[in-house]
Amino acid sequence: MTERVNMSDKEIISKTAAFVKAELLHAEGGHDWFHIERVWKNARRIAREEPVNLFIVELGALLHDIADHKFHDGDESVGVLKARKFLQGLRVDVAVGDHVVKIMKNISFKGGNFSPGFFSLELAVVQDADRLDAIGAIGIARAFNYGGYKGREMYDPAVKPVAGMTVEQYQHSKAPTINHFYEKLLLLKDRMNTKTGRRMAEQRHRFLEQYLEQFFREWDGN
Ligand code: ADP
Ligand code: NI
């Protein structure tokens, strides 16, 4: 009789969650384990209504932000290499590992002018799940947390938002956090891939708009 050494999908997911949690122990508040946990949850919810491979969706959601390029001088390969090694160590099917890496490489917004070289329904689900966490109440909290972490101003009426930035411009922008709403957050609703994602995004988008209205009202002393 041959010994069964391969882990079940469930075990692999739980080992991956533990690995990611440890990796992100000192991460900035908007890109920490709780972000991953929310994206993981969103992804499972969206996946219920899409004919996807749930195992790949869950692995993609869990690993999508390890060693984010923003925190490694723009180097994207750090996270990808780590994820590959980790999955190989668990003897995850090579095709599954390749797919997860493609999700990691193509999920990011990067100013909106990045044309992904890959598409799959699994990527679509994880991307929607990640985008949902960038809008709504949580999205606002994350943006200001990231802005504070980077020492950005909250708002400066003299610095206008820039539409359609290149990947380079986007990654090097030092603009106030409110600009990020116009440069990314408000654009996400129309870029959702799935029906469930779109529906969830609409409600969160309205909240962003209300928030901005109130922000400017208060800014003007009203
Ligand atoms: P992606 O990983 O999809 O390219 P980003 O790196 O643009 O996304 O950002 C992920 C999250 O980090 C954003 O949703 C936001 O909360 C925060 N963030 C990134 N860039 C900025 C910024 N310039 N100002 C404020 N928040 C930012
Ligand atoms: Ni993310």
Side-chain angles (χ1 to χ4, degrees):
M1 224 173 82
T2 52
E3 211 186 328
R4 185 172 152 71
V5 289
N6 286 344
M7 272 185 248
S8 71
D9 288 2
K10 211 172 148 208
E11 279 172 290
I12 291 171
I13 295 294
S14 106
K15 286 221 184 304
T16 306
F19 168 73
V20 172
K21 198 170 181 175
E23 281 289 321
L24 294 178
L25 214 53
H26 303 292
E28 173 265 321
H31 292 83
D32 59 0
W33 163 251
F34 292 119
H35 164 62
I36 304 303
E37 204 176 38
R38 291 187 301 265
V39 172
W40 185 20
K41 220 176 279 173
N42 290 343
R44 287 199 305 252
R45 172 158 174 199
I46 298 169
R48 285 209 299 265
E49 294 169 47
E50 302 292 331
V52 283
N53 179 324
L54 184 62
F55 184 51
I56 292 176
V57 165
E58 290 197 63
L59 287 178
L62 285 168
L63 290 163
H64 84 275
D65 264 343
I66 62 162
D68 189 308
H69 61 89
K70 282 194 290 308
F71 308 109
H72 289 84
D73 298 327
D75 189 350
E76 287 184 333
S77 59
V78 180
V80 164
L81 270 176
K82 260 194 201 168
R84 247 192 217 292
K85 247 176 130 175
F86 174 76
L87 294 174
Q88 272 165 7
L90 297 185
R91 304 211 200 182
V92 170
D93 191 77
V94 176
V96 170
D98 285 348
H99 196 153
V100 171
V101 162
K102 284 186 181 139
I103 291 175
M104 294 174 72
K105 284 183 172 169
N106 290 284
I107 189 172
S108 172
F109 177 76
K110 295 189 181 127
N113 281 327
F114 163 71
S115 43
F118 170 78
F119 183 80
S120 72
L121 207 48
E122 285 77 9
L123 166 63
V125 168
V126 181
Q127 191 170 54
D128 277 8
D130 192 31
R131 287 177 170 175
L132 284 170
D133 209 51
I135 55 180
I138 300 264
I140 295 169
R142 290 182 69 218
F144 282 106
N145 196 79
Y146 185 81
Y149 173 84
K150 288 282 189 184
R152 307 256 169 87
E153 285 174 316
M154 293 195 296
Y155 177 51
D156 179 348
V159 187
K160 300 293 170 210
V162 181
M165 280 191 271
T166 63
V167 175
E168 271 286 295
Q169 283 172 324
Y170 180 73
Q171 287 176 351
H172 294 107
S173 163
K174 300 208 180 344
T177 300
I178 284 289
N179 291 27
H180 193 63
F181 285 65
Y182 296 93
E183 290 162 351
K184 175 183 177 188
L185 309 187
L186 290 166
L187 310 178
L188 294 177
K189 167 182 76 75
D190 291 330
R191 292 169 181 243
M192 301 301 285
N193 304 298
T194 65
K195 215 171 83 209
T196 312
R198 216 169 357 255
R199 197 188 61 233
M200 291 168 78
E202 269 163 23
Q203 196 270 336
R204 294 182 191 208
H205 180 89
R206 278 197 297 277
F207 190 80
L208 285 186
E209 289 179 328
Q210 283 164 12
Y211 174 81
L212 287 168
E213 249 175 60
Q214 172 95 9
F215 184 98
F216 291 119
R217 217 181 294 141
E218 292 179 15
W219 191 271
D220 291 333
N222 296 313

